[in-house]
Amino acid sequence: MKKMSNIYESAANTLGIFNSPCLTKVELRVACKGISDRDALSRPDPCVILKMQSHGQWFEVDRTEVIRTCINPVFSKLFTVDFYFEEVQRLRFEVHDISSNHNGLKEADFLGGMECTLGQIVSQRKLSKSLLKHGNTAGKSSITVIAEELSGNDDYVELSFSARKLDDKDFFSKSDPFLEIFRMNDDATQQLVHRTEVVMNNLNPAWKTFKVSVNSLCSGDQDRRLKCIVWDWDSNGKHDFIGEFSSTFKEMRGAMEGRQVQWECINPKYKAKKKNYKNSGIVILNQCKIHKMHSFLDYIMGGCQIQFTVAIDFTASNGDPRNSCSLHYIHPYQPNEYLKALVAVGEICQDYDSDKMFPAFGFGARIPPEYKVSHDFAINFNEDNPECAGIQGVVEAYQSCLPKLQLYGPTNIAPIIQKVAKSASEETNTKEASQYFILLILTDGVITDMADTREAIVHASHLPMSVIIVGVGNADFSDMQMLDGDDGILRSPKGEPVLRDIVQFVPFRNFKHASPAALAKSVLAEVPNQVVDYYNGKGIKPKCVSEYESSRTLAP
């Protein structure tokens, strides 16, 4: 098979996408200034919605909290987005006034928007632009977005604060306290890390437990100063200062394993004026839990194997394999699109599979000896052992089975998804990160069992598996895009949503003149995140801690 070697070589060059860090995560913080409400008598209740563009459509990624009656909001909620250096990622920040009786957007007033690319924010670190409304500037309102790369440590910490005997700032009722935590930066500026909810009419509040990344809290530096301020909330947005204290993450870690850490909440003005002043209350950290976030490399280096399965479309719409116009035509020197896609993706996956044995199936053909239609037959015709030795073995099985098949139909892919899901389901019983399944489906047309396929994908989203669909040929694949949850949430016919986005759909024609490396990179880019999301979501740690992982752990 010397004629195939050039494809193998170029596909092998793509191995770098898994060896280098899979992608960079960026945290975006948002603040606005001078927001004007359409109603001059009241202040707006702003919320910022982040949208991202995909295939020319805008879809919502996330939204901040709503800050009541505020024209210069600094939002506590962070946006975490994946940054790809090689892509233009278009973002749109929309500011809406969300009325208190309705948290949806139907009641909301659009106060202005700003469009930019993630690259612009990342390169400038801090981007400030005017808010635009219907193409015009919205008064003097502006938005500022600050980007921060998540460093190697993506662990997060869970904190639970309460307070007692806070100063009473209200005449007719007790204070309505909330707590803000700021990180002090190297340049002496301060960055809001978290703002708790308001506890009404209570001098001994217990705030809700919250999670924040270690990176966001202290940039990985446990001795970095943290400034904490307690306020008495006021409906007009002019909150009264109760007191403040300083701490570090190192000090907060004292609240692990059932212990508490306490600080006196001090009002410097009172302290300077009053002789007998002790404090304006006590703030207590009741618990500090550190959650380890494992990376894709942690799982792979811990011994997790990628189980790669391929399924090939043998429906009649591909054309007679003996005809040079057929998508299945075997040219003596030039591999067809099915082979190119198979080799490009398979070459990368096989490096993460120790036995290099790959189950390979076909669907949509009549198969010997009885020539009944099958949607999940082994292309080596050995139903007891459908595995082929290496990608080379899959290529050879594909070439030898073609003359024996009758291409038929319809294009049903639910059976093959269910077949792999059965293996993945058995794997969940081990409660270990030992095998993750990737199903590569190569098809030339729009599938006919869309309802069953959606059902199968929703079921599979709960299992350690991902599905990659490569559309071969020039059919209209617009219906296939709905299976790839990037543009919205895929649901089963009964309305059940996918637990996580596990499908990646790519039309091969987009890569016809590109290298196999480009195709492989496109279809496999989401896999590392999907692996991490599955195991972290289930609380499953890597099987054995690798040297790589121990070298990046936060020192106690």
Side-chain angles (χ1 to χ4, degrees), residues 46-60:
C47 164
V48 174
I49 294 168
L50 172 62
K51 294 185 174 180
M52 202 173 254
Q53 199 176 55
S54 176
H55 310 297
Q57 301 287 313
W58 290 103
F59 66 97
E60 181 176 332

Side-chain angles (χ1 to χ4, degrees), residues 289-479:
K289 274 189 194 167
I290 295 173
H291 295 266
K292 181 107 203 83
M293 290 299 283
H294 300 285
S295 73
F296 176 66
L297 289 178
D298 291 340
Y299 287 106
I300 293 299
M301 292 175 173
C304 183
Q305 297 283 307
I306 299 290
Q307 296 293 334
F308 180 65
T309 302
V310 64
I312 301 170
D313 181 335
F314 289 107
T315 53
S317 52
N318 283 283
D320 186 336
R322 292 165 296 188
N323 184 325
S324 62
C325 297
S326 168
L327 292 167
H328 279 304
Y329 179 64
I330 302 295
H331 191 283
Y333 303 107
Q334 184 61 40
N336 62 32
E337 289 187 12
Y338 277 98
L339 284 175
K340 281 181 184 171
L342 163 66
V343 171
V345 179
E347 278 287 293
I348 286 187
C349 292
Q350 73 176 358
D351 265 33
Y352 299 92
D353 186 344
S354 57
D355 70 359
K356 307 280 187 281
M357 299 296 288
F358 304 120
F361 299 96
F363 58 91
R366 287 172 159 172
I367 58 170
E370 292 166 18
Y371 287 94
K372 285 183 178 171
V373 175
S374 171
H375 295 294
D376 57 353
F377 63 91
I379 63 172
N380 64 2
F381 298 120
N382 181 348
E383 293 303 325
D384 296 328
N385 182 16
E387 295 189 327
C388 304
I391 296 303
Q392 178 67 36
V394 179
V395 170
E396 287 167 5
Y398 164 77
Q399 290 175 326
S400 65
C401 85
L402 259 176
K404 301 168 189 163
L405 301 174
Q406 283 180 12
L407 273 56
Y408 206 68
T411 310
N412 289 355
I413 64 171
I416 191 68
I417 294 173
Q418 288 157 354
K419 190 170 211 143
V420 175
K422 188 167 181 272
S423 303
S425 185
E426 288 162 10
E427 167 63 17
T428 58
N429 299 330
T430 67
K431 304 275 193 294
E432 283 189 340
S434 48
Q435 293 187 73
Y436 190 91
F437 293 78
I438 293 179
L439 169 60
L440 172 65
I441 299 174
L442 305 169
T443 177
D444 82 314
V446 177
I447 55 177
T448 25
D449 62 341
M450 186 59 90
D452 288 346
T453 296
R454 280 163 51 202
E455 185 78 51
I457 289 169
V458 168
H459 170 65
S461 72
H462 293 259
L463 302 171
M465 74 178 274
S466 296
V467 181
I468 293 166
I469 305 173
V470 177
V472 175
N474 293 314
D476 174 11
F477 291 117
S478 52
D479 279 3

Side-chain angles (χ1 to χ4, degrees), residues 226-245:
L226 303 173
K227 183 178 174 183
C228 307
I229 305 177
V230 181
W231 299 92
D232 168 30
W233 178 82
D234 237 321
S235 58
N236 65 6
K238 294 176 181 174
H239 311 305
D240 297 316
F241 175 78
I242 293 178
E244 64 186 18
F245 61 92

